[in-house]
Amino acid sequence: MSENNKRREFKLTTWALDNANTVYLALVIFLVAGFLAYKTMPKEMFPDVVLPKIMVKTVYPGNPPSDMENLVTKPLEKEIYTIKDIKTLTSTSSQDNSDIVVDFNSGVDLKSALQDVKDAVDRAKDDLPDDLPFDPMVMDIDLSEFPIINVNLSGDFSSEELKTYAEELQDKIEDIPEISKVNIKGVEDKLIRLNLDKEKMDAFNLGFNDIENAVKFENMSVSGGDLIINGTRRSVRAVGEFKNIKEIENIIVKSEKGKAVYLKDVLENGKVENGFKDIQSIARLNGNSVVSLQVVKKSGENLLKATEQIMQILAQEKQTYLPEHLDVKITNDQSDMVKKMLNNLVNSIILGMIFVMSVLFFFLGTRNAIYVGLAIPTSMLISFVVLNAMGITINMMVLFGLILALGMLVDNAIVAVENIFRFVSNGYSLYEASKLAVGEIAWAIIASTATTLAAFIPLIYWPGMIGNFMKFLPLTLVVVMTASLFVALVIIPVVTASFSNKEEKKPPKKRMIIIVSILGGLAIPLYIFGVNFIANLFAIIALITFLNYIIFFDLSVWFQRELLT
C-alpha cells in the first residue's frame, strides 16, 4: 500500500472494517434498542413547554375594582416587585377579584420562582384586609393542564344519577398512573339548601347566626376521650353528622318556655332542599346537555397509553356498572391525531426509502440503492435511542424534524457508496475500496454535515416561550444528521465490503423465487395477526426483488450505459 493511500484512511472506518463482527453486533443492538425506544417513548400532541409565569389570585367578595386595587393588588405588587428575574408584572382588579401575573425571564427555575412568589405573598399578608376570607392563591401556569380526551355522559337520567356515574368513572380514571386529574363539567357539586322564611324567623325572634350555629354544632362528630376496657385502651367518638334530610329538618334551633322550635318551622314549605350549587359550567354535545369528564394527563407521560387504558375502563364499566341506556360519547380525543402523525411518519419513512431507492436505482444500480436505502431506517432507529436517553417525547415538533431530516440523511450514504464503487472499478478489492474511498471523502462529508447543523444549532438556544416550543425541531435534526454521519462512516463501509460483488450481475431466477416466496409467506400471517408494519416491509422487499428481476435491472443498465453515455 502506498504512503498516499495510508493518508487517505479514516481511522474510525478502518477500525470498523477490521472489526466487522463487532459492528454488526452493535448494529443489531442499535436496531433493537431503537425499535423498543420508539415503542416506549411517551407520545403526545405538543412538547412539554414550561411557561415562566406565576399567577396570584385573590378573592375578596363585596368589593368594587377600585377597592380591590387599593386594598389587595397594590400591597401584593409591592412585595412581588422585590423578586429578582421578573420580566413583566401584570395585574387586573375586577369586582371581588384580583389577578396578578408574574412573567419571569426565560431559563429561570420555575420551582424556585414559585416559592419566591409565595414568600412575597406571605410577607404582604400583614398589609391585606383582616377580613379577607381566603388567602391569595399562588399557582404556576401549566400548558399540560389541557384535557387529552372528553368522556360525555347523557341519557334519560336525572342530574344526580349522571353525577353519580361520572364520579364513579372519575375515581377509576384517576387511578391510571399517567392521569393527573379528571374534571367533571356540566353538573355542579351537591348542595343542601335552607330556604328560610324571614317572617317566620322574626316571629320566633331568630337571626341567621342562630340558624347557622345550630346547623354547625349539630353536624359534628366529637372525640370523647379514651376508655380502658379489660386492659385495652379504646378511643371513644360521638358521631353526630347528618345522615339524611329529615335529621336536618328536625334540628332544634331554639327552645323557649319549654317549647322547641325546629328548623322546619322557619323554612319555606317546611322542607330542606337537596340539590346542586348554582350552575357555573354548561356542557353540551350536538345541542344536548351532557355531563362531561375532562381528563388531564400528567406532564411527560404517554398519551396513547393513557387513552388506551381509559378506553379499557369505559368498556369494562359499560359491562359491569353503567346502565345499558346511558349514552357515552368520546370527544376531543388527542390520541387520534397523535396516531395519525405517527402513521404519517412511518409512511414517510417507507415512501422515502422507496423514492430514494427508485432515484438511486437508475444512477447507481439496484444493489447500491439498497445500501443507501438502509441508511434511512438505521439512522432513524439510532436517533430514537438518543432522543429517548435525552428524555424527549415523540410530539409534533419531533415528528416534523424527523420528516424534514428524511431527505437529507441519505446524502452522506450516497457519497460513500458511490466513491466505494469508483475505487472498485479502478481495481481495488472491496475491503481496500471501502477503506480508501471513505477515508478520501470522510472529512468532506463531516464538514458538509457540520455546516448543515451549524444553521440549526443556534435555534436550540432560541429564548422565550416560542424557543422552548421550537427547540425540539433543530434538536431532532442534529441527532438524526449525526446518526446518518455515523452510518455513512461505519455501517455502510462494513455492509458494502461484506455483501457486494465487484461486478453487479442480474440475480439468478432461482434465488429471486426463493426470496419472494419466503418474504411473501411471512407477510401473510403477519397481516392476519395485525403486524402491518413488518408485513408491509416484507411485502415491499418481495415486490422490489421480483420487479428487479423482471424489469428494474435491465432498465438501470440501459439508463446508465445507453442514456447517460
Side-chain angles (χ1 to χ4, degrees):
M1 183 184 298
S2 66
E3 188 68 24
N4 185 41
N5 287 342
K6 288 183 180 179
R7 288 197 299 267
R8 290 181 187 174
E9 294 181 15
F10 187 67
K11 291 184 179 180
L12 182 60
T13 304
T14 302
W15 176 89
L17 290 167
D18 292 337
N19 298 273
N21 291 335
T22 302
V23 173
Y24 285 127
L25 178 61
L27 177 60
V28 172
I29 293 175
F30 275 127
L31 295 179
V32 174
F35 182 77
L36 294 177
Y38 172 77
K39 286 294 185 181
T40 57
M41 285 177 69
K43 301 170 181 65
E44 52 190 358
M45 178 70 71
F46 303 107
D48 287 328
V49 178
V50 178
L51 290 180
K53 293 179 183 289
I54 306 295
M55 173 178 283
V56 181
K57 185 178 185 64
T58 310
V59 178
Y60 192 13
N63 290 273
S66 59
D67 289 346
M68 291 300 301
E69 180 179 9
N70 294 324
L71 298 177
V72 177
T73 304
K74 286 185 176 181
L76 289 173
E77 285 182 339
K78 182 180 178 181
E79 290 295 336
I80 294 174
Y81 263 128
T82 62
I83 302 174
K84 296 180 180 179
D85 296 324
I86 291 181
K87 184 178 180 181
T88 59
L89 189 148
T90 306
S91 63
T92 303
S93 299
S94 57
Q95 180 69 35
D96 305 334
N97 189 69
S98 169
D99 291 323
I100 300 175
V101 178
V102 188
D103 190 359
F104 287 87
N105 294 322
S106 60
V108 71
D109 185 0
L110 190 60
K111 290 184 178 179
S112 177
L114 183 62
Q115 187 60 49
D116 290 341
V117 176
K118 288 182 178 179
D119 293 341
V121 170
D122 289 339
R123 292 194 300 268
K125 285 183 179 179
D126 292 337
D127 299 327
L128 297 178
D130 294 334
D131 58 343
L132 195 67
F134 308 104
D135 289 337
M137 295 181 291
V138 182
M139 66 197 82
D140 58 333
I141 300 176
D142 190 355
L143 290 180
S144 64
E145 290 294 309
F146 291 102
I148 61 170
I149 189 173
N150 291 343
V151 181
N152 304 287
L153 308 180
S154 61
D156 189 15
F157 300 92
S158 65
S159 298
E160 186 172 355
E161 290 175 319
L162 291 176
K163 174 79 170 180
T164 302
Y165 300 139
E167 289 176 342
E168 174 69 17
L169 292 177
Q170 181 186 39
D171 294 337
K172 295 286 186 180
I173 295 175
E174 286 183 342
D175 288 338
I176 299 175
E178 289 80 8
I179 298 303
S180 171
K181 60 183 179 180
V182 179
N183 298 320
I184 298 178
K185 300 294 183 180
V187 62
E188 301 302 325
D189 293 333
K190 293 181 180 179
L191 179 70
I192 303 297
R193 291 185 180 274
L194 306 180
N195 296 320
L196 300 173
D197 190 321
K198 189 64 172 62
E199 294 182 356
K200 293 180 179 179
M201 291 174 60
D202 293 338
F204 290 110
N205 195 23
L206 287 171
F208 290 105
N209 288 335
D210 297 327
I211 305 297
E212 180 182 356
N213 292 332
V215 174
K216 181 188 301 182
F217 290 114
E218 287 292 332
N219 186 37
M220 184 182 298
S221 294
V222 181
S223 174
D226 297 335
L227 183 65
I228 299 177
I229 301 176
N230 297 328
T232 302
R233 184 179 298 272
R234 300 180 182 275
S235 297
V236 178
R237 182 168 175 263
V239 179
E241 296 176 357
F242 298 133
K243 295 181 180 180
N244 53 60
I245 298 297
K246 289 296 182 182
E247 291 183 359
I248 302 176
E249 294 175 351
N250 293 321
I251 293 175
I252 298 176
V253 294
K254 186 178 180 180
S255 180
E256 189 176 54
K257 297 180 181 180
K259 184 178 180 181
V261 179
Y262 297 97
L263 178 62
K264 61 185 178 182
D265 295 333
V266 293
L267 292 175
E268 294 181 358
N269 301 323
K271 292 184 179 180
V272 175
E273 293 185 6
N274 185 10
F276 295 90
K277 292 183 178 179
D278 293 336
I279 296 177
Q280 300 293 327
S281 63
I282 298 175
R284 293 187 182 276
L285 180 62
N286 298 327
N288 299 319
S289 297
V290 297
V291 174
S292 179
L293 289 88
Q294 298 181 350
V295 184
V296 179
K297 178 182 67 68
K298 290 180 181 177
S299 177
E301 295 294 340
N302 195 327
L303 184 146
L304 296 183
K305 185 177 180 181
T307 305
E308 181 180 352
Q309 294 181 75
I310 292 172
M311 295 303 181
Q312 292 175 356
I313 289 175
L314 292 177
Q316 182 179 0
E317 291 297 309
K318 285 181 180 179
Q319 296 178 356
T320 58
Y321 176 74
L322 299 179
E324 182 179 355
H325 299 293
L326 181 66
D327 190 11
V328 181
K329 291 185 179 180
I330 303 298
T331 57
N332 191 35
D333 187 358
Q334 292 188 12
S335 65
D336 288 340
M337 183 63 69
V338 174
K339 289 177 182 178
K340 289 178 181 178
M341 289 195 304
L342 292 175
N343 290 334
N344 288 336
L345 172 65
V346 174
N347 293 334
S348 297
I349 293 175
I350 295 176
L351 290 176
M353 289 182 61
I354 295 174
F355 291 150
V356 168
M357 292 173 63
S358 299
V359 173
L360 296 178
F361 142 79
F362 287 103
F363 292 92
L364 303 180
T366 306
R367 176 188 58 195
N368 296 350
I370 292 175
Y371 292 150
V372 175
L374 288 176
I376 298 177
T378 305
S379 300
M380 289 287 186
L381 291 174
I382 293 176
S383 300
F384 285 133
V385 175
V386 178
L387 293 173
N388 188 39
M390 296 172 65
I392 296 177
T393 63
I394 296 181
N395 52 68
M396 180 178 66
M397 299 309 299
V398 171
L399 292 176
F400 185 61
L402 291 171
I403 295 174
L404 185 62
L406 185 62
M408 297 187 291
L409 62 84
V410 295
D411 295 346
N412 295 332
I414 292 173
V415 175
V417 170
E418 175 59 21
N419 206 41
I420 288 173
F421 283 96
R422 183 176 68 84
F423 271 75
V424 170
S425 64
N426 290 335
Y428 288 87
S429 66
L430 286 169
Y431 174 83
E432 291 293 330
S434 299
K435 180 164 57 176
L436 298 178
V438 176
E440 184 179 68
I441 51 89
W443 290 110
I445 63 176
I446 291 174
S448 174
T449 304
T451 55
T452 302
L453 298 183
F456 290 99
I457 288 178
L459 297 179
I460 298 176
Y461 304 98
W462 190 349
M465 184 185 70
I466 301 299
N468 291 334
F469 187 84
M470 293 293 296
K471 71 178 181 181
F472 294 96
L473 172 61
L475 196 59
T476 304
L477 282 171
V478 170
V479 172
V480 176
M481 293 303 295
T482 304
S484 72
L485 182 62
F486 172 79
V487 171
L489 296 177
V490 177
I491 306 297
I492 294 295
V494 174
V495 174
T496 304
S498 301
F499 296 101
S500 293
N501 297 315
K502 282 196 170 185
E503 183 179 353
E504 186 171 9
K505 298 179 180 180
K506 188 172 184 177
K509 182 177 181 180
K510 183 178 180 181
R511 187 175 69 180
M512 180 272 296
I513 294 175
I514 293 175
I515 294 175
V516 172
S517 300
I518 293 176
L519 294 179
L522 291 174
I524 294 175
L526 289 174
Y527 278 123
I528 295 176
F529 288 105
V531 190
N532 294 333
F533 174 74
I534 300 179
N536 289 336
L537 187 61
F538 285 171
I540 290 172
I541 295 175
L543 180 62
I544 292 176
T545 303
F546 176 75
L547 294 177
N548 179 56
Y549 179 83
I550 299 298
I551 188 173
F552 282 175
F553 183 84
D554 296 331
L555 186 60
S556 66
V557 171
W558 171 84
F559 183 85
Q560 296 176 48
R561 297 179 183 179
E562 301 293 336
L563 186 62
L564 296 181
T565 56

